[in-house]
Amino acid sequence: QLLRISMRQIFIHVFTFLSLLNSELFSQVTSEQLHYGAASLSMANSDIALPETSWSAFVNPAGMVNQKGLTLVASSQSHFSQSFINHSLFGVQFKNPKYGSLGISVENSSVNYSGNELVTETAIGLHQGIALRTDGISSFSIGYGIKSYSIEYGNSAGPSGDGSDGISLGALNTFGLDISFLGSLGDRIRAGAKAFNINSPSLGNANNATRLPQRAQIGLAYSPYDLVWTTVALNKSVGHSTNFSSGFSYEISKMVILRSGMQTSPNRFSSGFEFHFKNVNVSYGFITHPVMPSSHQISFELNR
């Protein structure tokens, strides 16, 4: 039988889980990506309860249960408008008659100097969304993602000092596990949560081990009237202050969506838009920073 549990009880369990998780997380020093796709960046990462279905594998795998056909997505971002710090994404989502909603994600981050790759990070993930409850007024689903992380270091500085004639510093690999939840009440209220790297993965051994970033996120989404959504979220990354973010999405027409958002710690403002052309969607978003230049991201989506 389907789980006989009220939406109120589900949300209490989710909040309790994340509270316990936050107390158990350890410190991390490796890089961490917060914005997956221009839509998420435009809403300042407040869309955990309102993930675009096509980007659910990255934002909240539990949202993949709404996947209908085949979707391909791709995105590119230069952090703080710096060309030497790149982050790119590629994903595919589909529905399998036997296993349900599945997705594959590929992430790549790199830092280069004078044409030399100083470090390259790659994450390849398998994701699935599972519907646990669906009725006339509510729904509840869970999702998970298993990711293979690898980090490849460039050459040492060498005699020239720029890495062109240094020695290789090698590579490291590990696996991480994410879990997420998504619930809805009617067509107006949604709640979502996600925990990243709950297995506390690390790269290296013994005293040289480096723990991967761990983060917990929980949020709500509310639609006061058709075509408009407002979102709020709390994000806690270990070793960093908890930040609050909120967002706004307005569907002007079937072809155009406008988005904006803000966050605290640090205070940042974001905005962006999305255009629909038949089966192709193009999104753009930017987010400010109190010290560094703004970050920009552009995303593409193909639905079959």
Side-chain angles (χ1 to χ4, degrees):
Q1 290 183 329
L2 294 176
L3 295 179
R4 298 182 180 277
I5 183 169
S6 69
M7 293 300 297
R8 180 174 179 273
Q9 290 174 309
I10 289 172
F11 295 156
I12 290 175
H13 292 326
V14 172
F15 272 84
T16 302
F17 167 78
L18 288 177
S19 298
L20 292 174
L21 181 70
N22 268 339
S23 66
E24 295 296 327
L25 295 180
F26 300 93
S27 63
Q28 95 279 344
V29 296
T30 54
S31 62
E32 180 179 28
Q33 303 298 335
L34 299 177
H35 307 115
Y36 292 101
S40 183
L41 183 141
S42 299
M43 300 181 73
N45 193 35
S46 65
D47 58 338
I48 188 68
L50 190 68
E52 280 201 292
T53 299
S54 54
W55 285 92
S56 291
F58 294 96
V59 179
N60 186 341
M64 292 172 57
V65 296
N66 298 317
Q67 182 71 32
K68 292 182 171 58
L70 175 67
T71 300
L72 302 175
V73 298
S75 183
S76 178
Q77 177 183 3
S78 291
H79 290 293
F80 309 116
S81 300
Q82 305 302 308
S83 60
F84 61 89
I85 308 177
N86 300 306
H87 180 222
S88 57
L89 308 170
F90 174 79
V92 56
Q93 289 183 189
F94 56 93
K95 236 180 184 173
N96 181 278
K98 184 176 181 180
Y99 299 104
S101 303
L102 297 171
I104 298 172
S105 65
V106 180
E107 303 175 51
N108 181 268
S109 298
S110 63
V111 178
N112 60 75
Y113 174 74
S114 297
N116 298 307
E117 294 289 341
L118 302 183
V119 61
T120 300
E121 301 179 28
T122 303
I124 301 175
L126 174 65
H127 312 266
Q128 184 179 22
I130 303 170
L132 295 183
R133 173 193 177 101
T134 302
D135 55 35
I137 61 172
S138 64
S139 66
F140 183 72
S141 60
I142 63 171
Y144 70 86
I146 302 174
K147 290 184 179 180
S148 169
Y149 293 100
S150 65
I151 181 168
E152 183 176 354
Y153 299 100
N155 296 336
S156 62
S160 65
D162 63 3
S164 60
D165 51 5
I167 62 173
S168 175
L169 299 178
L172 297 170
N173 299 275
T174 191
F175 287 89
L177 175 64
D178 304 337
I179 61 170
S180 64
F181 306 86
L182 185 64
S184 67
L185 185 60
D187 295 325
R188 299 294 186 186
I189 301 174
R190 297 182 182 182
K194 187 176 181 180
F196 299 75
N197 292 326
I198 64 171
N199 60 321
S200 189
S202 61
L203 293 166
N205 301 306
N207 294 332
N208 294 322
T210 299
R211 293 193 181 280
L212 269 65
Q214 293 181 289
R215 177 161 57 98
Q217 184 179 17
I218 190 165
L220 297 171
Y222 172 65
S223 176
Y225 49 87
D226 291 346
L227 310 181
V228 173
W229 282 93
T230 58
T231 57
V232 294
L234 289 175
N235 304 276
K236 173 58 179 177
S237 296
V238 176
H240 300 277
S241 301
T242 300
N243 71 56
F244 168 84
S245 59
S246 63
F248 173 83
S249 173
Y250 176 38
E251 185 177 336
I252 296 178
S253 68
K254 292 184 178 181
M255 293 183 61
V256 182
I257 298 176
L258 294 182
R259 300 184 177 95
S260 64
M262 57 77 64
Q263 75 164 64
T264 63
S265 302
N267 296 331
R268 308 178 73 177
F269 169 78
S270 62
S271 187
F273 54 83
E274 180 174 330
F275 288 114
H276 296 183
F277 304 96
K278 295 185 179 180
N279 295 331
V280 178
N281 299 341
V282 180
S283 304
Y284 165 79
F286 75 90
I287 186 167
T288 63
H289 192 275
V291 178
M292 302 292 290
S294 299
S295 297
H296 302 264
Q297 188 166 170
I298 185 168
S299 302
F300 300 92
E301 174 185 333
L302 175 64
N303 297 289
R304 297 290 302 275

